[in-house]
Amino acid sequence: MLKSGMKWMFLIIGTTIGAGYASGRELWEFFGPGSEIAIILFVICFSIATFAIMNISFRRQTTDYRPVLEEIVGKRFVVFYDGMIFLYLYTTTVVMLAGSGATGQVYHLPYGFGVIFLAIVLIMLFYNGIHNTLMINLVLIPILIIALVYVLILFSIDEQISFLSQWTYQDNWLAAFPFTALNIFPLIAVLGAIGQHIQSEGEIWLASLGSALILGIISYLYNNSLIHISHELNFNEIPLFVILKRYSISMNISMSILLWFAILTTAAAGMIGIVSRIRRHTSLETGVIVSLALCTIIPMTAIGFGPLIHYTYPVYGILNLYVLTRLLFYRST
């Protein structure tokens, strides 16, 4: 149970910590000053919603997200949210590829190089099967978490940032709900694809509570650091590199590699959802589906990493509030 629960926990975290989250850009779009209560609410809502999704997947032994989505929103709205979840997965994959391009630009590599490189890795990954994607999460996500927490704590100590922020000014608590709604939406697609592989309810408890607590700690530390450098964030698409510029080139390179792998795991997780849905309507191999999907995704990355997050993530967060509400009050039948 422990090993399987950890595997699902890191799959959840790997799906959530992508280019937007790990870079700090997504957190800054929703949080900022006065958001400590919002982050606590996010942890609570995220754990409840994730538990509900995994419980449905396990009980119905699902292989794709459609049955899970139907139970959450009902038959009346399933077509609308089915289309929106597919559009979200598509858009998120565009953001991940754009994030790969933006990461490469920090080291003066062409934007297109980073985009194409990630696309090639994704194709190779899926031609070898979904198992490799799960193993990447299990190995790399713990390393990313440790490294990110280390950098954020080190930065807070070096800059003498208090770990206990001013709690009397909490006017941004409502941001918790669209932020949670944004991040649980892809989990419906990803966790809906692995229902047949969940073996016990204990795995669900471990995965849902563990992932929420870890994401909450990272979100708190990250937001605290971003508030300190808020005056610099308008001039850099990736806030993480504003923090890292205070440190050695070796640390910058190491964190850049980990950031890129976070982008890879989220893009791969999104592709799991896309592939599982498309395969209901075609006999094409997984690798072929991924290749064809990426051919349509790559041109969209020209919009740019920062603008994609700024304009799409808040909209998805608001549109998905109904789904979050249904999950928070979900009762199995």
Side-chain angles (χ1 to χ4, degrees):
M1 184 198 80
L2 180 62
K3 183 178 179 181
S4 295
M6 295 285 283
K7 178 170 66 176
W8 307 135
M9 182 179 76
F10 289 127
L11 176 62
I12 292 167
I13 296 173
T15 304
T16 307
I17 300 185
Y21 192 106
S23 69
R25 177 54 59 185
E26 178 184 331
L27 285 164
W28 192 245
E29 286 293 332
F30 287 91
F31 295 141
S35 298
E36 287 75 20
I37 290 179
I39 293 172
I40 293 173
L41 288 172
F42 158 67
V43 172
I44 296 170
C45 294
F46 188 87
S47 61
I48 294 171
T50 305
F51 182 88
I53 295 168
M54 293 191 74
N55 186 42
I56 297 169
S57 301
F58 172 54
R59 185 163 44 80
R60 300 189 63 166
Q61 292 291 287
T62 55
T63 56
D64 74 84
Y65 65 79
R66 178 67 181 244
V68 178
L69 186 63
E70 184 174 309
E71 185 159 336
I72 294 169
V73 301
K75 293 183 178 180
R76 180 181 299 179
F77 297 110
V78 71
V79 175
F80 171 75
Y81 278 103
D82 188 13
M84 202 167 84
I85 208 170
F86 191 87
L87 181 62
Y88 174 87
L89 292 170
Y90 185 90
T91 306
T92 301
T93 308
V94 174
V95 174
M96 295 307 114
L97 266 71
S100 179
T103 302
Q105 282 185 312
V106 174
Y107 299 98
H108 308 292
L109 294 173
Y111 179 78
F113 175 84
V115 172
I116 298 299
F117 182 72
L118 177 58
I120 292 172
V121 172
L122 283 171
I123 292 170
M124 293 173 62
L125 191 65
F126 277 88
Y127 264 108
N128 290 318
I130 189 176
H131 178 71
N132 291 318
T133 303
L134 298 177
M135 290 305 298
I136 285 175
N137 280 285
L138 193 59
V139 173
L140 293 175
I141 293 303
I143 298 173
L144 173 65
I145 292 168
I146 293 169
L148 198 53
V149 170
Y150 170 76
V151 167
L152 294 173
I153 291 177
L154 179 65
F155 179 74
S156 298
I157 294 172
D158 289 345
E159 296 291 314
Q160 298 182 334
I161 303 171
S162 173
F163 289 105
L164 298 175
S165 301
Q166 181 56 257
W167 284 72
T168 57
Y169 182 70
Q170 297 295 313
D171 65 338
N172 195 39
W173 61 273
L174 284 174
F177 301 108
F179 182 74
T180 308
L182 171 71
N183 283 293
I184 58 96
F185 208 51
L187 291 177
I188 295 173
V190 175
L191 298 177
I194 52 93
Q196 285 189 341
H197 302 286
I198 301 173
Q199 298 176 350
S200 70
E201 193 171 281
E203 297 173 23
I204 300 174
W205 280 106
L206 176 59
S208 56
L209 292 176
S211 59
L213 286 172
I214 291 171
L215 289 170
I217 291 169
I218 296 174
S219 298
Y220 184 88
L221 291 172
Y222 221 145
N223 189 63
N224 216 28
S225 298
L226 294 179
I227 292 170
H228 183 73
I229 57 171
S230 58
H231 58 286
E232 300 180 61
L233 298 183
N234 290 331
F235 308 102
N236 198 306
E237 283 196 320
I238 302 181
L240 178 61
F241 289 128
V242 178
I243 294 174
L244 290 173
K245 73 180 184 181
R246 274 92 166 160
Y247 300 106
S248 65
I249 186 64
S250 60
M251 182 181 286
N252 274 262
I253 292 174
S254 299
M255 288 304 298
S256 297
I257 293 171
L258 289 173
L259 174 62
W260 188 85
F261 275 112
I263 293 169
L264 172 63
T265 58
T266 303
M271 275 294 174
I272 291 174
I274 292 173
V275 169
S276 68
R277 195 69 187 91
I278 291 178
R279 290 195 71 175
R280 289 170 62 96
H281 307 287
T282 180
S283 59
L284 292 173
E285 293 294 327
T286 298
V288 176
I289 296 172
V290 171
S291 300
L292 292 174
L294 287 172
C295 286
T296 66
I297 287 170
I298 289 173
M300 301 293 292
T301 61
I303 298 172
F305 178 62
L308 280 166
I309 290 180
H310 179 72
Y311 292 110
T312 62
Y313 278 26
V315 172
Y316 280 124
I318 293 171
L319 290 175
N320 298 339
L321 286 174
Y322 174 72
V323 175
L324 175 62
T325 304
R326 295 281 295 185
L327 285 168
L328 293 179
F329 294 97
Y330 174 76
R331 294 291 183 274
S332 61
T333 55

